């Protein structure tokens, strides 16, 4: 999602040429890669994440307080807006704890939830529960349940302080990015992956790109540039320039979070690589979708935050209603490129282009209609 959840040395790149021995090549790698891409081009359809239940009856008098990592981040603002809208449809109290990325503000939110006898504290949009271990322990001792929204990858177990987790298919996005780069380079990618290992789900996200490239193309070259979120503005451009100057044969760059792209594009311009080196990324951030329309980014994997908000509320309600935790938020990943970018709006926004199948789907799932 949107949101969030977002160089150990800028001039040094850990070049990781794909290992030929360990991973067998796909039987028809080009066909496999194209199939992955086509799967994510179709207009999203709703797939129920669990059994229907009477949400209104179950959630009567319940109270949920959600603490996003920061309400200064547009991704979190949009995600919270959607979660609040879903809660209003069901008819229970939902409160967003406004904050500006400060630990003491997160702690205050937890204290407020305890003192005002909320039923759930939700950590949303990238807020790591490990940062708040003692406070969450106090909340659970007071009878509150703890959830996370849009933080963990589907492959990652939540920490013990979390009851239910609305996980995201970051690894699926990674597989799609690898397939895209493989197809667009006609099976000969020399890829620079830009990640941020200080963001927990980034680790399996990057790994999924690396693994899929090895499967599709054991002989192809891939490099990994690791830049902490706090250093994006100062280290991504210089690190990308160093990589391109060190290896002019790089033909594709995959920044795992699309907001990184704003720092990659200047590096392409400075090194004279515009046109010969393409970009693809993940998140569906509006200004990056505009960059797709303008030709600066070739492809961006989008996820509807309106859909993600409803899916997150669904999982939180299942926790309170005694239903099984969902395996992942059922938010589809959609390819935006030159062929369909106009559907994202002009200028682009977080929700256009995905349709509205989730609205009717969740209403029926919650027995509201």
């Amino acid at each position: 999602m949107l949101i969030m959840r977002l160089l150990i040395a800028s001039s040094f790149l850990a070049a990781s040429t794909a290992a030929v021995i360990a991973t067998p090549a796909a039987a028809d790698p080009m066909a496999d890669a194209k199939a992955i891409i086509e799967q994510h081009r179709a207009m999203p359809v709703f797939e129920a994440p669990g059994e229907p239940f009477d949400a209104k009856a179950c959630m009567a008098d319940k109270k949920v307080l959600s603490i996003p990592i920061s309400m200064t981040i547009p991704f979190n603002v949009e995600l919270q807006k959607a979660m609040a809208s879903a809660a209003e449809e069901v008819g229970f109290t939902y409160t967003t704890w406004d904050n500006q990325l400060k630990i003491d503000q997160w702690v205050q939110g937890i204290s407020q939830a305890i003192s005002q006898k909320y039923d759930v504290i939700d950590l949303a949009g990238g807020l790591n529960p490990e940062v708040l271990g003692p406070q969450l322990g106090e909340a659970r001792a007071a009878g509150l349940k703890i959830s996370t929204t849009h933080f963990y990858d589907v492959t990652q177990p939540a920490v013990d302080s979390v009851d239910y987790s609305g996980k995201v298919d970051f690894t699926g996005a990674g597989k799609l990015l690898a397939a895209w780069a493989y197809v667009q380079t006609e099976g000969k990618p020399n890829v620079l992956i830009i990640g941020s290992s200080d963001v927990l789900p980034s680790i399996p996200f990057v790994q999924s790109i690396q693994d899929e490239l090895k499967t599709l193309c054991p002989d192809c070259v891939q490099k990994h540039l690791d830049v902490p979120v706090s250093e994006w503005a100062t280290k991504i451009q210089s690190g990308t320039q160093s990589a391109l100057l060190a290896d002019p044969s790089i033909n594709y760059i995959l920044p795992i979070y699309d907001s990184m792209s704003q720092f990659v594009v200047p590096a392409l311009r400075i090194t004279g690589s515009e046109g010969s080196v393409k970009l693809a990324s993940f998140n569906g951030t509006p200004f990056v979708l505009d960059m797709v329309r303008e030709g600066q980014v070739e492809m961006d994997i989008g996820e509807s935050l309106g859909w993600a908000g409803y899916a997150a509320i669904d999982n939180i309600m299942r926790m309170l209603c005694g239903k099984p935790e969902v395996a992942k938020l059922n938010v589809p990943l959609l390819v935006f490129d030159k062929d369909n970018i106009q559907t994202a709006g002009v200028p682009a926004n977080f929700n256009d282009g995905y349709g509205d199948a989730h609205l009717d789907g969740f209403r029926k799932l919650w027995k509201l209609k």
Side-chain angles (χ1 to χ4, degrees):
M1 94 315 190
L2 23 151
I3 335 188
M4 146 192 155
R5 302 93 307 111
L6 287 158
L7 286 171
I8 302 300
S10 64
S11 60
F12 178 75
L13 301 169
S16 53
T17 305
V20 182
I21 306 171
T23 311
D28 186 348
M30 186 59 70
D32 291 346
K34 288 181 177 178
I36 293 170
I37 294 168
E38 289 308 309
Q39 178 186 348
H40 296 283
R41 281 192 180 279
M43 180 60 65
V45 297
F46 181 81
E47 295 182 6
E51 295 298 317
F53 62 102
D54 188 341
K56 190 174 289 289
C58 168
M59 294 299 292
D61 301 322
K62 296 293 193 298
K63 297 167 64 177
V64 175
L65 185 140
S66 182
I67 307 176
I69 190 169
S70 174
M71 284 296 280
T72 63
I73 301 172
F75 174 95
N76 282 285
V77 173
E78 195 69 24
L79 180 63
Q80 288 296 319
K81 188 189 303 182
M83 293 175 75
S85 178
E88 184 178 7
E89 285 208 50
V90 177
F92 66 88
T93 298
Y94 180 87
T95 303
T96 297
W97 186 256
D98 196 1
N99 74 86
Q100 290 75 47
L101 197 62
K102 296 181 179 178
I103 293 179
D104 62 326
Q105 294 174 332
W106 303 334
V107 171
Q108 290 167 8
I110 294 173
S111 297
Q112 185 92 338
I114 295 171
S115 64
Q116 295 191 3
K117 300 187 184 304
Y118 275 75
D119 299 282
V120 173
I121 294 172
D122 177 62
L123 306 181
L127 181 48
N128 189 339
E130 295 185 59
V131 176
L132 298 164
Q135 292 80 16
L136 295 180
E138 182 182 350
R140 296 184 90 194
L144 283 76
K145 290 188 176 296
I146 310 299
S147 62
T148 64
T149 289
H150 212 288
F151 177 63
Y152 291 107
D153 177 63
V154 292
T155 64
Q156 295 174 307
V159 294
D160 291 341
S161 59
V162 171
D163 295 291
Y164 273 37
S165 183
K167 299 179 180 179
V168 179
D169 193 9
F170 290 106
T171 51
K175 187 174 182 179
L176 176 53
L177 285 175
W180 181 270
Y182 182 80
V183 171
Q184 297 304 310
T185 60
E186 299 181 342
K188 298 178 181 179
N190 182 344
V191 176
L192 174 64
I193 304 164
I194 306 177
S196 288
S197 59
D198 57 329
V199 181
L200 190 64
S202 302
I203 299 170
F205 192 174
V206 168
Q207 188 66 52
S208 69
I209 298 173
Q210 293 171 330
D211 289 347
E212 186 64 18
L213 285 171
K214 289 177 185 177
T215 298
L216 293 169
C217 184
D219 294 326
C220 293
V221 177
Q222 52 176 289
K223 300 176 180 67
H224 177 210
L225 177 64
D226 189 32
V227 187
V229 175
S230 62
E231 298 181 356
W232 283 10
T234 57
K235 298 295 180 65
I236 288 180
Q237 180 177 332
S238 60
T240 302
Q241 287 175 209
S242 296
L244 292 169
L245 292 172
D247 183 1
S249 65
I250 289 173
N251 55 16
Y252 224 95
I253 299 179
L254 301 176
I256 64 170
Y257 301 122
D258 61 6
S259 293
M260 294 171 160
S261 301
Q262 64 189 304
F263 308 113
V264 175
V265 169
L268 297 180
R269 189 176 304 121
I270 289 170
T271 58
S273 304
E274 284 183 301
S276 60
V277 180
K278 305 294 185 180
L279 272 70
S281 193
F282 164 73
N283 261 161
T285 303
F287 83 83
V288 183
L289 293 175
D290 289 335
M291 292 173 75
V292 173
R293 191 177 60 254
E294 294 161 2
Q296 295 175 299
V297 174
E298 188 171 52
M299 189 274 283
D300 198 19
I301 303 169
E303 52 172 355
S304 164
L305 293 190
W307 193 314
Y310 273 69
I313 289 296
D314 176 76
N315 195 45
I316 290 169
M317 293 193 302
R318 289 178 187 277
M319 177 175 64
L320 287 176
C321 299
K323 307 298 181 184
E325 177 184 38
V326 301
K328 67 175 179 178
L329 298 181
N330 68 336
V331 184
L333 303 177
L334 184 65
V335 165
F336 283 104
D337 65 2
K338 61 181 177 59
D339 294 331
N340 68 340
I341 190 59
Q342 298 298 327
T343 66
V346 183
N349 61 73
F350 279 108
N351 286 304
D352 281 357
Y354 304 91
D356 59 1
H358 65 287
L359 294 175
D360 191 55
F362 279 117
R363 288 165 185 160
K364 289 179 178 177
L365 193 66
W366 301 336
K367 299 187 177 179
L368 300 181
K369 59 184 298 183

